[in-house]
Amino acid sequence: GAVVSQHPSWVICKSGTSVKIECRSLDFQATTMFWYRQFPKQSLMLMATSNEGSKATYEQGVEKDKFLINHASLTLSTLTVTSAHPEDSSFYICSTSLSGNFGYSPLHFGNGTRLTVT
Amino acid sequence: RKEVEQDPGPFNVPEGATVAFNCTYSNSASQSFFWYRQDCRKEPKLLMSVYSSGNEDGRFTAQLNRASQYISLLIRDSKLSDSATYLCVVKSGGGADGLTFGKGTHLIIQP
């Protein structure tokens, strides 16, 4: 069964609006959640690492004020794309690991959110 | 040189055939290796981890060649349902990050 639940699956919004994406860990506590973005025919690119109870760590080139991450509980991490623009249209995916040993345990992904900004 | 490199394909293979593809990585200190499968417009799903001695799971065989810095995935008796993009994932360094994804190899199994 699913380990990570992500909503919404897809969203179409107008330029300038904000979109919140939720990622929930099912039946386990996820202290760390990774947020990825994938453009068509490209590899998954890590955007940020979300840590429960502390500030997220953003990858180089990712604007923290534009992509707001909140990890207020052990089962929920959210990514808000603020003032979305067409170039933000992409496939956003969250992931985590069951064991917390990210070096050797595989990741489990949410079902992804396909964002289209018009 | 890219950190993780895969032939994007597509590989068009008839049903029942055996197909294999490789993934090269640049960091010799890489620790863990995985193959993920991603269907169109879906999230990646773990296919199998890759162990140093090589491992098999049903029709799928994964191998690691540290000397030449590549991993491979072999699919025997391919099924139509095997059509997908196969992502190579490499873990380098310590900590809770450092996972690098390849762009994937697109496989199409034809009836």
Side-chain angles (χ1 to χ4, degrees):
Chain A
V3 171
V4 180
S5 175
Q6 183 174 344
H7 295 281
S9 296
W10 57 270
V11 60
I12 302 173
C13 69
K14 292 185 177 180
S15 185
T17 59
S18 296
V19 176
K20 179 186 282 189
I21 302 170
E22 293 188 348
C23 192
R24 295 180 183 274
S25 56
L26 304 178
D27 300 325
F28 74 100
Q29 296 178 333
T31 56
T32 301
M33 197 78 79
F34 300 108
W35 286 95
Y36 289 87
R37 179 168 56 183
Q38 185 180 35
F39 291 105
K41 298 186 178 181
Q42 298 296 314
S43 59
L44 273 75
M45 296 300 296
L46 181 65
M47 298 176 66
T49 302
S50 164
N51 300 295
E52 187 270 333
S54 63
K55 291 183 178 180
T57 303
Y58 290 81
E59 296 299 303
Q60 191 174 12
V62 179
E63 300 175 58
K64 62 180 181 180
D65 294 329
K66 179 171 181 61
F67 299 99
L68 300 179
I69 290 175
N70 184 289
H71 197 153
S73 79
L74 286 170
T75 58
L76 174 64
S77 176
T78 62
L79 168 68
T80 301
V81 183
T82 62
S83 187
H85 288 97
E87 56 265 31
D88 297 325
S89 298
S90 185
F91 191 49
Y92 293 86
I93 317 175
C94 62
S95 71
T96 188
S97 172
L98 284 177
S99 72
N101 186 351
F102 299 99
Y104 302 97
S105 297
L107 292 179
H108 293 271
F109 289 87
N111 50 291
T113 298
R114 189 160 300 280
L115 172 64
T116 302
V117 184
T118 61
Chain B
R1 181 180 175 186
K2 296 178 183 177
E3 290 188 53
V4 177
E5 202 157 355
Q6 294 182 254
D7 185 333
F11 287 79
N12 290 280
V13 176
E15 189 177 9
T18 296
V19 60
F21 30 85
N22 294 339
C23 165
T24 59
Y25 60 95
S26 61
N27 188 343
S28 58
S30 297
Q31 303 166 336
S32 307
F33 309 88
F34 308 94
W35 282 105
Y36 279 77
R37 170 195 170 128
Q38 186 174 25
D39 292 294
C40 187
R41 295 177 175 267
K42 298 288 187 180
E43 76 278 16
K45 293 184 179 179
L46 178 68
L47 179 65
M48 57 197 304
S49 302
V50 185
Y51 303 126
S52 298
S53 57
N55 48 301
E56 187 175 307
D57 183 2
R59 298 181 294 108
F60 299 85
T61 301
Q63 290 191 316
L64 167 63
N65 186 318
R66 285 195 182 274
S68 300
Q69 296 183 202
Y70 74 86
I71 64 172
S72 64
L73 178 67
L74 183 144
I75 306 174
R76 287 182 300 277
D77 187 25
S78 54
K79 312 290 185 188
L80 295 177
S81 57
D82 293 334
S83 298
T85 296
Y86 291 84
L87 305 176
C88 168
V89 182
V90 176
K91 165 70 176 173
S92 301
D97 57 8
L99 282 170
T100 303
F101 287 78
K103 290 187 179 182
T105 295
H106 189 197
L107 176 65
I108 301 171
I109 306 299
Q110 297 174 325

Coordinates of all heavy atoms in Angstrom, one line a residue, chain A residues 32 34 36 38 41-44 46 49 59 91 93 102-112 114, chain B residues 31-32 34 36 38 40-46 49 87 91 93 95-99 101-104:
Chain A
T32 N 12.0 13.6 8.2 CA 12.6 14.3 7.0 C 11.8 14.0 5.8 O 11.4 12.8 5.5 CB 14.0 13.9 6.8 OG1 14.8 14.2 8.0 CG2 14.6 14.6 5.6
F34 N 11.7 14.9 1.5 CA 12.4 15.6 0.4 C 11.3 16.0 -0.6 O 10.4 15.3 -0.9 CB 13.3 14.6 -0.3 CG 14.4 14.0 0.6 CD1 14.3 12.7 1.0 CD2 15.4 14.8 1.0 CE1 15.3 12.2 1.9 CE2 16.4 14.3 1.8 CZ 16.4 13.0 2.3
Y36 N 11.0 17.2 -4.5 CA 11.6 17.1 -5.8 C 10.7 17.8 -6.9 O 9.5 18.0 -6.7 CB 11.8 15.7 -6.3 CG 12.9 14.9 -5.6 CD1 12.6 14.2 -4.4 CD2 14.2 14.9 -6.0 CE1 13.6 13.5 -3.7 CE2 15.2 14.2 -5.3 CZ 14.8 13.5 -4.2 OH 15.8 12.8 -3.5
Q38 N 10.3 17.8 -11.3 CA 10.7 17.1 -12.5 C 10.1 17.8 -13.7 O 8.8 17.8 -13.8 CB 10.3 15.6 -12.4 CG 10.8 14.8 -13.6 CD 10.5 13.4 -13.6 OE1 9.4 13.0 -13.1 NE2 11.3 12.5 -14.0
K41 N 10.9 15.1 -19.5 CA 12.1 14.4 -20.0 C 13.4 14.8 -19.2 O 14.5 14.6 -19.8 CB 12.3 14.7 -21.5 CG 11.1 14.2 -22.3 CD 11.4 14.3 -23.8 CE 10.3 13.8 -24.6 NZ 10.5 13.9 -26.1
Q42 N 13.2 15.2 -18.0 CA 14.4 15.6 -17.2 C 14.4 14.7 -15.9 O 13.4 14.0 -15.6 CB 14.3 17.0 -16.8 CG 14.4 18.0 -17.9 CD 15.7 18.0 -18.7 OE1 16.8 17.9 -18.1 NE2 15.6 17.9 -20.0
S43 N 15.5 14.7 -15.3 CA 15.6 13.9 -14.1 C 14.9 14.6 -12.9 O 14.7 15.8 -13.0 CB 17.0 13.6 -13.7 OG 17.8 14.8 -13.6
L44 N 14.7 13.9 -11.8 CA 14.2 14.5 -10.6 C 15.3 15.4 -10.0 O 16.4 15.0 -9.9 CB 13.8 13.5 -9.6 CG 12.4 12.9 -9.7 CD1 12.3 11.9 -10.8 CD2 12.0 12.2 -8.4
L46 N 16.3 17.6 -6.7 CA 15.9 17.9 -5.3 C 15.8 19.4 -5.1 O 16.7 20.2 -5.5 CB 17.0 17.4 -4.4 CG 16.8 17.6 -2.9 CD1 15.6 16.9 -2.4 CD2 18.0 17.2 -2.1
T49 N 15.0 20.0 1.5 CA 14.8 18.9 2.5 C 14.0 19.6 3.6 O 14.5 20.6 4.2 CB 16.2 18.4 2.9 OG1 16.9 17.9 1.8 CG2 16.0 17.3 4.0
E59 N 18.1 23.7 -1.8 CA 19.2 23.4 -2.7 C 19.6 24.8 -3.4 O 18.7 25.7 -3.5 CB 18.8 22.4 -3.8 CG 18.6 21.0 -3.2 CD 19.8 20.5 -2.5 OE1 20.9 20.3 -3.1 OE2 19.7 20.1 -1.3
F91 N 6.2 18.9 -12.4 CA 5.7 17.8 -11.6 C 6.5 17.8 -10.3 O 7.7 17.7 -10.2 CB 6.0 16.5 -12.4 CG 5.4 15.2 -11.8 CD1 4.0 15.2 -11.5 CD2 6.1 14.1 -11.6 CE1 3.4 14.1 -11.0 CE2 5.5 12.9 -11.1 CZ 4.1 12.9 -10.8
I93 N 7.1 16.3 -6.5 CA 7.0 15.0 -5.8 C 7.7 15.1 -4.5 O 8.8 15.6 -4.4 CB 7.6 13.8 -6.6 CG1 7.3 13.9 -8.1 CG2 7.2 12.5 -6.0 CD1 8.0 12.9 -8.9
F102 N 18.8 7.2 5.2 CA 18.6 7.6 3.8 C 19.8 7.1 2.9 O 19.7 7.1 1.7 CB 18.5 9.1 3.7 CG 17.3 9.6 4.4 CD1 17.4 10.2 5.7 CD2 16.0 9.5 3.8 CE1 16.3 10.6 6.4 CE2 14.9 10.0 4.5 CZ 15.0 10.5 5.8
G103 N 20.8 6.7 3.6 CA 22.0 6.3 2.8 C 21.8 4.9 2.1 O 22.3 4.6 1.1
Y104 N 21.0 4.1 2.8 CA 20.9 2.7 2.3 C 19.5 2.3 2.1 O 19.2 1.2 1.5 CB 21.6 1.8 3.3 CG 23.0 2.2 3.5 CD1 23.4 3.0 4.6 CD2 24.0 1.8 2.6 CE1 24.7 3.3 4.7 CE2 25.3 2.2 2.7 CZ 25.7 2.9 3.8 OH 27.0 3.3 3.9
S105 N 18.5 3.1 2.5 CA 17.1 2.7 2.3 C 16.6 3.4 1.2 O 16.8 4.6 1.0 CB 16.3 3.0 3.6 OG 16.8 2.2 4.7
P106 N 15.8 2.8 0.4 CA 15.2 3.5 -0.8 C 14.2 4.5 -0.4 O 13.6 4.4 0.8 CB 14.5 2.3 -1.6 CG 14.2 1.3 -0.5 CD 15.3 1.4 0.5
L107 N 13.9 5.4 -1.2 CA 12.9 6.4 -1.0 C 11.5 5.9 -1.4 O 11.4 5.1 -2.3 CB 13.2 7.7 -1.8 CG 14.4 8.5 -1.4 CD1 14.6 9.7 -2.3 CD2 14.3 8.9 0.1
H108 N 10.5 6.4 -0.7 CA 9.1 6.2 -1.1 C 8.5 7.5 -1.5 O 8.7 8.5 -0.8 CB 8.3 5.6 0.1 CG 8.7 4.2 0.4 ND1 8.2 3.1 -0.2 CD2 9.7 3.7 1.3 CE1 8.8 2.0 0.3 NE2 9.7 2.3 1.2
F109 N 7.9 7.5 -2.7 CA 7.4 8.8 -3.2 C 5.9 9.0 -3.0 O 5.2 8.0 -3.0 CB 7.8 8.9 -4.7 CG 9.2 9.0 -5.0 CD1 10.1 7.9 -5.1 CD2 9.8 10.3 -5.2 CE1 11.4 8.1 -5.4 CE2 11.1 10.5 -5.4 CZ 12.0 9.3 -5.5
G110 N 5.5 10.2 -2.9 CA 4.1 10.5 -3.0 C 3.8 10.4 -4.5 O 4.6 10.2 -5.4
N111 N 2.5 10.4 -4.8 CA 2.0 10.2 -6.2 C 2.3 11.4 -7.1 O 2.0 11.4 -8.3 CB 0.5 9.8 -6.2 CG -0.3 10.8 -5.4 OD1 -0.2 10.8 -4.2 ND2 -1.1 11.6 -6.1
G112 N 2.8 12.5 -6.5 CA 3.2 13.6 -7.3 C 2.0 14.6 -7.6 O 0.8 14.2 -7.5
R114 N 1.0 17.4 -10.4 CA 1.3 18.1 -11.7 C 0.7 19.5 -11.7 O -0.5 19.7 -11.7 CB 0.7 17.3 -12.9 CG 1.2 17.8 -14.2 CD 1.1 16.7 -15.3 NE 1.8 15.5 -15.0 CZ 3.1 15.4 -15.2 NH1 3.8 16.4 -15.7 NH2 3.7 14.3 -14.9
Chain B
Q31 N 27.8 5.1 -2.7 CA 27.6 4.0 -1.7 C 26.5 3.1 -2.0 O 26.6 1.9 -1.8 CB 27.4 4.7 -0.3 CG 28.4 5.6 0.2 CD 28.0 6.4 1.4 OE1 26.8 6.6 1.5 NE2 28.9 6.9 2.2
S32 N 25.4 3.7 -2.5 CA 24.2 2.9 -2.7 C 23.6 3.1 -4.1 O 23.7 4.2 -4.6 CB 23.1 3.2 -1.6 OG 23.7 3.1 -0.3
F34 N 20.3 2.2 -6.8 CA 18.9 1.7 -6.9 C 18.4 1.9 -8.4 O 18.8 2.7 -9.1 CB 17.9 2.5 -6.0 CG 18.4 2.6 -4.6 CD1 19.1 3.7 -4.1 CD2 18.0 1.7 -3.7 CE1 19.5 3.8 -2.8 CE2 18.4 1.8 -2.3 CZ 19.1 2.8 -1.9
Y36 N 14.8 2.6 -10.1 CA 13.4 2.9 -10.0 C 12.7 2.9 -11.3 O 13.3 3.1 -12.4 CB 13.2 4.4 -9.4 CG 13.4 4.5 -7.9 CD1 14.7 4.5 -7.4 CD2 12.4 4.7 -7.1 CE1 14.9 4.6 -6.0 CE2 12.5 4.8 -5.7 CZ 13.8 4.8 -5.2 OH 14.0 4.9 -3.8
Q38 N 9.5 4.5 -13.5 CA 8.5 5.6 -13.5 C 7.7 5.5 -14.7 O 8.2 5.5 -15.9 CB 9.3 7.0 -13.5 CG 8.3 8.2 -13.4 CD 9.0 9.5 -13.2 OE1 10.2 9.7 -13.6 NE2 8.4 10.5 -12.6
C40 N 4.6 7.0 -17.1 CA 4.3 8.3 -17.6 C 3.4 9.1 -16.7 O 2.3 8.6 -16.3 CB 3.7 8.2 -19.0 SG 3.4 9.8 -19.8
R41 N 3.8 10.3 -16.3 CA 3.0 11.2 -15.4 C 2.8 10.6 -14.0 O 1.8 10.9 -13.4 CB 1.7 11.6 -16.1 CG 2.0 12.4 -17.4 CD 0.7 12.7 -18.1 NE 0.9 13.6 -19.2 CZ 0.8 14.9 -19.1 NH1 0.5 15.5 -18.0 NH2 1.0 15.7 -20.1
K42 N 3.6 9.6 -13.6 CA 3.5 9.0 -12.3 C 4.7 9.2 -11.5 O 5.8 9.7 -12.0 CB 3.2 7.5 -12.4 CG 1.9 7.2 -13.2 CD 0.7 7.5 -12.3 CE -0.6 7.1 -13.0 NZ -1.8 7.4 -12.2
E43 N 4.6 8.9 -10.2 CA 5.8 9.0 -9.3 C 6.7 7.8 -9.6 O 6.3 6.8 -10.0 CB 5.4 9.1 -7.9 CG 5.0 7.8 -7.2 CD 3.5 7.4 -7.5 OE1 2.9 8.0 -8.4 OE2 3.0 6.6 -6.8
P44 N 8.0 8.0 -9.3 CA 8.9 6.8 -9.4 C 8.6 5.8 -8.3 O 8.2 6.2 -7.2 CB 10.3 7.4 -9.1 CG 10.1 8.9 -9.3 CD 8.7 9.2 -8.9
K45 N 8.8 4.6 -8.6 CA 8.6 3.5 -7.7 C 9.8 2.6 -7.7 O 10.4 2.3 -8.7 CB 7.3 2.7 -8.0 CG 6.1 3.5 -7.8 CD 4.8 2.6 -8.1 CE 3.6 3.5 -7.9 NZ 2.3 2.7 -8.1
L46 N 10.2 2.2 -6.5 CA 11.4 1.4 -6.4 C 11.2 0.0 -7.1 O 10.3 -0.7 -6.8 CB 11.8 1.1 -4.9 CG 13.0 0.2 -4.7 CD1 14.3 0.9 -5.1 CD2 13.1 -0.2 -3.2
S49 N 17.0 -2.5 -5.3 CA 18.3 -2.0 -4.9 C 19.3 -2.8 -5.6 O 19.1 -3.9 -6.1 CB 18.5 -2.2 -3.4 OG 17.5 -1.5 -2.7
L87 N 14.8 4.6 -14.0 CA 15.7 5.6 -13.4 C 16.8 5.0 -12.6 O 16.5 4.1 -11.7 CB 14.9 6.6 -12.5 CG 13.7 7.3 -13.1 CD1 13.0 8.1 -12.0 CD2 14.1 8.2 -14.2
K91 N 23.5 7.0 -4.6 CA 23.7 7.7 -3.3 C 25.2 7.9 -3.1 O 26.0 7.0 -3.1 CB 23.1 6.9 -2.2 CG 23.5 7.3 -0.8 CD 23.0 8.7 -0.4 CE 23.3 8.9 1.1 NZ 22.9 10.3 1.5
G93 N 28.1 10.0 -0.6 CA 28.3 10.8 0.5 C 27.3 10.4 1.7 O 26.4 9.6 1.5
G95 N 24.8 11.5 5.1 CA 23.7 12.4 5.4 C 22.4 12.0 4.7 O 22.4 11.1 4.0
A96 N 21.4 12.8 5.0 CA 20.1 12.5 4.5 C 19.8 13.1 3.1 O 18.7 13.4 2.7 CB 19.1 13.0 5.5
D97 N 20.8 13.3 2.3 CA 20.7 13.8 1.0 C 21.7 13.2 0.1 O 22.3 12.1 0.5 CB 20.7 15.3 0.9 CG 22.1 15.8 1.5 OD1 23.0 15.0 1.8 OD2 22.2 17.1 1.7
G98 N 22.0 13.7 -1.0 CA 23.1 13.2 -1.9 C 22.6 12.1 -2.8 O 23.4 11.5 -3.5
L99 N 21.3 12.0 -3.0 CA 20.8 11.1 -4.0 C 20.7 11.8 -5.3 O 20.2 12.9 -5.4 CB 19.3 10.7 -3.6 CG 19.2 9.6 -2.5 CD1 17.8 9.5 -2.1 CD2 19.7 8.3 -3.0
F101 N 19.6 11.4 -9.3 CA 18.8 10.6 -10.2 C 19.3 10.8 -11.7 O 19.7 11.9 -12.1 CB 17.3 11.1 -10.2 CG 16.6 10.8 -9.0 CD1 16.8 11.5 -7.8 CD2 15.7 9.7 -9.0 CE1 16.1 11.1 -6.6 CE2 15.0 9.4 -7.8 CZ 15.2 10.1 -6.7
G102 N 19.3 9.7 -12.4 CA 19.6 9.8 -13.8 C 18.3 10.3 -14.5 O 17.2 10.3 -13.9
K103 N 18.4 10.6 -15.8 CA 17.2 11.1 -16.5 C 16.3 10.0 -16.9 O 15.2 10.2 -17.3 CB 17.7 11.9 -17.7 CG 18.3 13.2 -17.4 CD 18.5 14.0 -18.7 CE 19.1 15.4 -18.4 NZ 19.3 16.2 -19.6
G104 N 16.8 8.8 -16.8 CA 16.0 7.6 -17.1 C 16.2 7.1 -18.5 O 16.6 7.8 -19.4

